[in-house]
């Protein structure tokens, strides 16, 4: 549920309240392979709740003062889910998420479309937010005149994206993003939503890894070279944010009401399908090694392709058939 909820602690320990892999700060992202997870480390259980099997309409709420270049990168990523692109593609990555079904046998949808945007540059709920603030931000977006977002309980999935000038409780300290569902008493209906923050200026070493050096890591010279991966779209904050968005979309779709697919006994802090693969982006990953990924001519790391020639790095998710973490760039 909470994307990278142990990221800060991840630098110090191997386990938090869910399976999270610690970053081994002295390793390079192209070193020898390690493991990719094991069915012994995950016990995902279906709890009979719904998954998002109907076509998903994505609604972005841009909260704060956003850089237009960063917005364009995020839009192109979201438009890549249902659009053709070179393989391995964002749409190929979503095929693993689609393997999850509800009690009727219906799979998660293959249709995700960017269906609306709302610009909350006036900061309707201030510059300091908490979890409940997200619901009020959604309410504002679906009720503001003259051009509100539709309130869409059948197909809507709302993304609250906060800019660098917005502070969110627990951001950088405990979470990089989270998903939940709205309360009808506040928003007017129950809709799934996710919040993700831009970490480029606040905590790139926490929420934009592997594109930024984790806090406390030794300088490059102490490691025998610069081991920090270069971001494929030129900004560590937005490229790191892309993977968090992917993580939350996967879990919002497979566990939208926190009663579908998760591991553990506590639905308040479940281990979900992306939590199981935190920090894994390619074959052989594990123990701080992100796995085998591609690099372009400029040395920028990526593992999937998108629209307009875009490239992105997104973490793998748990494959319920293969019983391991998997992505479309897997070498098998």
């Amino acid at each position: 549920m909470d994307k990278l909820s142990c990221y800060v602690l991840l630098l110090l320990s191997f386990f938090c309240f869910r399976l999270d892999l610690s970053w081994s700060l002295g390793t390079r992202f192209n070193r020898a392979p390690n493991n990719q997870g094991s069915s012994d480390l995950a016990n995902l259980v279906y709890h009979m709740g719904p998954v998002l099997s109907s076509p998903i309409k994505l609604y972005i709420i841009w909260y704060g003062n956003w850089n237009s270049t960063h917005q364009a990168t995020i839009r192109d990523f979201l438009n890549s889910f249902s659009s053709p692109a070179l393989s391995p593609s964002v749409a190929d990555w979503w095929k693993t998420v689609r393997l999850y079904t509800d009690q009727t046998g219906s799979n998660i949808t293959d249709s995700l479309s960017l269906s609306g945007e709302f610009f909350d540059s006036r900061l309707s709920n201030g510059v300091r937010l908490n979890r409940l603030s997200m619901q009020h931000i959604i309410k504002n977006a679906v009720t503001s005149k003259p051009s509100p977002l539709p309130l869409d309980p059948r197909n809507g999935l709302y993304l609250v994206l906060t800019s660098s000038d917005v502070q969110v409780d627990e951001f950088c300290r405990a979470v990089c993003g989270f998903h939940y569902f709205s309360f009808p008493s506040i928003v007017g209906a129950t809709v799934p939503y996710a919040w993700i923050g831009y970490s480029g200026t606040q905590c790139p070493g926490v929420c934009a890894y592997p594109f930024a050096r984790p806090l406390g890591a030794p300088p490059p010279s102490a490691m025998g070279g610069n081991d920090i991966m270069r971001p494929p779209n030129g900004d560590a904050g937005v490229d790191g944010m892309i993977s968090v968005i992917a993580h939350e979309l996967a879990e919002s779709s497979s566990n939208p009401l926190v009663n579908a697919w998760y591991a553990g006994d506590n639905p308040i802090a479940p281990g979900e399908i992306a939590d199981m693969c935190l920090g894994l982006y390619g074959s052989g990953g594990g123990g701080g090694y992100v796995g085998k990924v591609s690099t372009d001519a400029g040395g920028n790391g990526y593992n999937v392709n998108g629209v307009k020639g875009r490239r992105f790095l997104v973490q793998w998710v748990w494959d319920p058939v293969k019983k391991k973490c998997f992505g479309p760039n897997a070498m098998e």
Side-chain angles (χ1 to χ4, degrees):
M1 182 188 303
D2 292 344
K3 167 62 174 135
L4 316 186
S5 63
C6 303
Y7 245 26
V8 178
L9 296 178
L10 193 60
L11 304 177
L12 304 175
S13 61
F14 190 83
F15 284 98
C16 198
F17 65 82
R18 64 181 57 150
L19 177 65
D20 284 332
L21 297 176
S22 62
W23 300 121
S24 177
L25 301 178
T27 57
R28 297 175 62 91
F29 64 83
N30 61 349
R31 59 151 231 186
N34 202 325
N35 63 75
Q36 293 169 206
S38 164
S39 59
D40 295 334
L41 297 178
N43 184 28
L44 279 172
V45 176
Y46 177 55
H47 295 81
M48 304 305 288
V51 300
L52 299 187
S53 57
S54 297
I56 297 171
K57 294 184 177 181
L58 298 171
Y59 299 103
I60 300 178
I61 302 171
W62 302 101
Y63 193 87
N65 297 294
W66 272 90
N67 178 302
S68 60
T69 300
H70 297 168
Q71 289 176 311
T73 302
I74 292 171
R75 287 191 193 100
D76 287 345
F77 175 67
L78 296 177
N79 284 325
S80 297
F81 279 91
S82 298
S83 301
L86 293 174
S87 184
S89 67
V90 174
D92 292 334
W93 178 86
W94 190 253
K95 290 178 180 177
T96 302
V97 179
R98 291 204 65 232
L99 294 173
Y100 291 87
T101 63
D102 63 15
Q103 57 185 306
T104 71
S106 297
N107 293 82
I108 291 174
T109 182
D110 64 351
S111 175
L112 293 86
S113 59
L114 180 52
S115 300
E117 301 178 54
F118 183 85
F119 301 87
D120 197 339
S121 58
R122 294 187 177 182
L123 302 167
S124 61
N125 281 259
V127 296
R128 184 64 185 247
L129 307 176
N130 56 35
R131 289 176 182 257
L132 190 59
S133 302
M134 305 306 164
Q135 308 228 8
H136 291 283
I137 289 171
I138 296 172
K139 177 184 179 180
N140 179 66
V142 300
T143 59
S144 290
K145 305 296 183 181
S147 301
L149 289 178
L151 181 56
D152 187 356
R154 176 174 174 78
N155 300 101
L157 198 169
Y158 296 77
L159 297 177
V160 181
L161 307 181
T162 52
S163 60
S164 60
D165 56 335
V166 177
Q167 302 289 321
V168 179
D169 287 357
E170 299 183 313
F171 184 39
C172 298
R173 296 184 296 107
V175 298
C176 299
F178 62 77
H179 78 90
Y180 205 58
F181 55 88
S182 67
F183 303 148
S185 60
I186 298 176
V187 177
T190 298
V191 294
Y193 73 88
W195 159 76
I196 302 96
Y198 175 81
S199 66
T201 55
Q202 295 188 39
C203 57
V206 176
C207 293
Y209 187 90
F211 301 123
R213 185 168 303 283
L215 297 175
S221 60
M223 300 180 186
N226 189 344
D227 68 333
I228 297 303
M229 191 181 297
R230 297 179 60 178
N233 296 286
D235 183 88
V238 76
D239 276 301
M241 194 175 184
I242 291 294
S243 189
V244 184
I245 291 172
H247 179 121
E248 296 303 339
L249 287 177
E251 295 184 343
S252 295
S253 299
S254 58
N255 196 27
L257 302 182
V258 201
N259 61 357
W261 288 96
Y262 64 88
D265 299 325
N266 184 2
I268 302 302
E272 298 175 283
I273 70 171
D275 298 323
M276 299 300 173
C277 305
L278 185 62
L280 298 179
Y281 299 85
S283 293
Y289 168 50
V290 301
K292 180 64 176 179
V293 301
S294 299
T295 55
D296 61 21
N300 305 303
Y302 70 97
N303 62 359
V304 291
N305 296 286
V307 299
K308 302 179 182 178
R310 292 275 195 185
R311 291 164 170 168
F312 306 102
L313 186 77
V314 296
Q315 69 147 98
W316 284 6
V317 296
W318 190 262
D319 187 312
V321 177
K322 299 179 184 295
K323 302 296 183 183
K324 65 178 181 179
C325 299
F326 188 75
N329 60 313
M331 300 175 64
E332 58 178 65

